[in-house]
Amino acid sequence: MLPRARPSASLRSVGSDRARFVAFTLAGLVALAALGCKRPGAAAQADGGVPDDAAAPPPAVQGENSHPDPPPPPGKPLLGITAFVTTVYAEPRDTSKKLGYLRVGAKVARSDEPVGKAGCPGGWYEIYPKGFVCAGDDATTDLESPILKAAAKRPDLKAALPYRYAFVRAVLPLYVKVPTAKQQYDSEFKLQEHLDWYKQNEATVNQVVLGAPDVPIDDRGVPVPGKHLGEMGLGKNSQELALGQLLGGETDADPIPFWLEGGKRLVPNISDFKVPDFAVFADRARRHTGLSLIGSFPTGEDHLNRRFAITTDLRLAPNTKIKPDLGSPWHGIELTDEFSLPLAFVRTQGAKTYRISKGKATPADDVEWRSIHALAGTMKTVEGVKYYRTKDKRWLSQLDVGLAVPPASFPEDAEKGKKWIEISITNQTFVMWEGKRPIYATLVSTGKAGLDDPKKTTATVRGVFKIRNKHITATMDSNEGSSVGGAKITTVAASHSPDGGGGKPAAPKAGDKNAKPGGKPDPKAPKGGKPAAKPAAPKPGAAKAKPAPAAAGAEKIPTRGDGEYGVTRRRGEGTFQLRDVPYIQYFESGYALHTAYWHDVFGTPRSHGCVNLSPVDAHRVFLWTDPPVPESWHAVNAGEDFGEGTTVIIHE
């Protein structure tokens, strides 16, 4: 069970000049050391380091979520999205500014009639709350379109993870139709041996531990005080759900969807990996790939009695080769007047408290990993190591903790009562502020190169930034590359879709109507929007195909305890794709705040430059920051149309 979190607050102070970061950090530590000399009083004075004569902070909003525009008037006609990604333009032309995008299955209020047809035979419709979408290949006014019904399940923004997720155990084809037994044997290397293994180990390999979806949260995404992991009220926690539900189904026995009945496919293949209509599968997924799922269903003997999970781009993954994943249940703490900064997060396992006497520090009691401790404001240095006094009269070593302390001075946004975020690379702490009031604090994982040069290493950039765009989900590679943030995916083989089959080409080309916000053209991308050289899909009934070299090399038969299989090795290693990474917020080209559902080492530098947050924390931050994502949209760009993004300050 997770340690019960207590409230907390932030670190140091930064002005508008980025060159002040080092001085800012030192000033924060000096402020922490001096706090013990301040007279007792209100929490903001005793714990927050705010001078007695400081101006009163603005009225507390107490962490309310950002507010999107109100819903459109009832009775407005709707536009349905039929492409995996459809761009919203500021004007009715595809060369105008991109405001954001919508995903397949979304329905958004529209104008009664097209506002024009220039470059769009189906007509440009104005949508709510603003912008224009071209009806045709990417959108339709026919709300009975089969693709809209097939993709009707939307991301759940009330949940720590917007979809159900799974990791790939063994290389698998992503089927576009429900494959027959013969088609599966033709498509999957040594399938019978794999099925025999799965039958013997099914109960063990499908076990799950409670994770992010099992943390009780309120409407703001804040963990509910007093509720334990898995206490879901009338709902079931993950260990009480059937496998079909863990893989995105409504029940354990959902029927085969209408659009897949009879071995046919009644909707187009919307993944980026294009194949002929007769193809049985569209691309393979590597081991350790993360998949997002919106449904699952069992089959009968004609299909080897396998269950198939439905991905967000409407492809099928056989369940014997994937494992449900719930992400880390770790989360930070909401700060209050009674429990606020300064705080210490225990970042090392096996940490101790200390007794200090006669210039010596002696280990005392064990202290729980990632427990959160209110500090009294007193610091001592013993043999070159700093020790911090907790309010319960114990000492913690600087070698074991990350600090969240109040700044000695506040940035401009704080003075104006605005929202802002503060991240310390040295401490791996993250604090949300409303004006001068800290409202939430947690641990994160920044770039594993620490304070090195971000231009040459995996270090996280430092400076003052604004959130540029927000994505409910987007595909990243194992190096956190993503086209939506202005960076190409670099770790996926050329034979794989550059966006994981998760939408339009990962590196959008100039003039591409489906280019995602923040994307940049790839000069090496082939024309016509087709992926680079892909192996031909096997025809039904064709002779057993030899697997591609990459697939063959990865397709050894798994055994229990095999680290490559994901049993003993933490999933999230190697080169692979992480599809539909949730709650991404870019603040600089190639750098984002985002959920990391594939690891649980928050408090330790780990990323390739982005700021990794736990699912619960990333969800909470996403709902709170500006600009909000409009209802039914999947992503939005900050700017004059939707307002400026929340400030992000990253310092040493």
Side-chain angles (χ1 to χ4, degrees), residues 201 234 293:
N201 296 279
L234 298 178
L293 309 172

Side-chain angles (χ1 to χ4, degrees), residues 77-95:
L78 301 176
L79 189 70
I81 303 305
T82 55
F84 189 70
V85 169
T86 298
T87 300
V88 181
Y89 294 94
E91 299 174 22
R93 52 186 176 85
D94 61 11
T95 55

Side-chain angles (χ1 to χ4, degrees), residues 342-423:
L343 298 175
F345 289 82
V346 176
R347 295 169 52 199
T348 60
Q349 301 195 46
K352 300 276 188 181
T353 61
Y354 289 84
R355 299 186 186 92
I356 296 179
S357 177
K358 299 180 180 179
K360 295 289 184 180
T362 305
D365 301 324
D366 293 335
V367 61
E368 195 169 7
W369 178 49
R370 291 200 298 217
S371 55
I372 307 170
H373 302 265
L375 298 179
T378 303
M379 178 179 72
K380 289 187 178 181
T381 301
V382 178
E383 296 178 335
V385 177
K386 295 175 182 177
Y387 294 84
Y388 306 107
R389 183 76 160 175
T390 66
K391 285 191 173 181
D392 57 2
K393 301 179 180 179
R394 299 185 292 175
W395 293 93
L396 296 172
S397 168
Q398 72 174 109
L399 303 179
D400 296 326
V401 301
L403 300 180
V405 304
S409 62
F410 283 97
E412 183 179 353
D413 279 356
E415 299 291 349
K416 294 180 178 179
K418 294 183 177 181
K419 298 176 181 179
W420 57 289
I421 291 168
E422 182 188 8
I423 301 166

